Amino acid sequence: LSTLGLTCLNSGDLERARAHIAEALELFQRCGHRVGEAITHLQLGQVEAQRGQSDAARVHLEDSLAIAKQIKHAETEGEAELVFGEIAMEAGNEPVAERHFQRSLSVCSTAGDRRGAAHACWALGRLDLRAGRLAAAQPRRFRAVDQLTRIAANRRAAAPAHCAGPHSGIPAR
């Protein structure tokens, strides 16, 4: 259900996204699946942020962050900090946005989450650009692109040969 909700979110159907993810959250809560709870609260925070409902987004993100810290799920913790930062940046509160982006980068770097760290670097670079700090933005954005390119290359290299082909997005070897 949460994957279906993300598909709806990515296609812009925010109401269906919220409904599917909320149903997934209820199921995770019923069975005590804490990782699922943390992730679906994060996803609901993302949906609410896209709907322009910052207060509702913050409630879900706070729940996600609290659970993620409790169960030591760094990927969700870093992503929640990133979304908090995006909300603050959208509201024009650059100092708060920077604190959240820096926390995201720290959590992800410490945990070895290269994808999360790259996204945090990209967000910090965007913040630098908004503030006119071009010299600071460039290395952060290059670092993010480099890291994401390496991750993509590693995924292609690790894919089994039978998965490669014209429709897989993975070049044949």
Side-chain angles (χ1 to χ4, degrees), residues 144-154 156:
V145 170
D146 178 61
Q147 199 61 262
L148 291 170
T149 302
R150 289 173 192 256
I151 291 167
N154 288 343
R156 283 190 298 275

Side-chain angles (χ1 to χ4, degrees), residues 48-123:
E48 295 299 348
Q50 284 199 22
R51 291 179 66 239
Q53 303 298 316
S54 298
D55 291 338
R58 281 188 201 92
V59 169
H60 284 294
L61 293 171
E62 287 166 2
D63 288 344
S64 176
L65 198 53
I67 295 167
K69 285 179 177 181
Q70 181 185 48
I71 63 174
K72 298 180 181 1
H73 199 271
E75 184 178 342
T76 301
E77 182 180 345
E79 186 73 18
E81 290 287 4
L82 192 66
V83 179
F84 266 126
E86 294 288 346
I87 291 169
M89 189 165 67
E90 189 68 28
N93 194 340
E94 281 82 10
V96 171
E98 185 168 13
R99 269 197 316 274
H100 285 293
F101 293 152
Q102 288 289 357
R103 280 198 295 249
S104 178
L105 179 59
S106 176
V107 166
C108 293
S109 295
T110 300
D113 177 4
R114 295 181 309 150
R115 184 199 57 81
H119 285 267
C121 277
W122 185 262

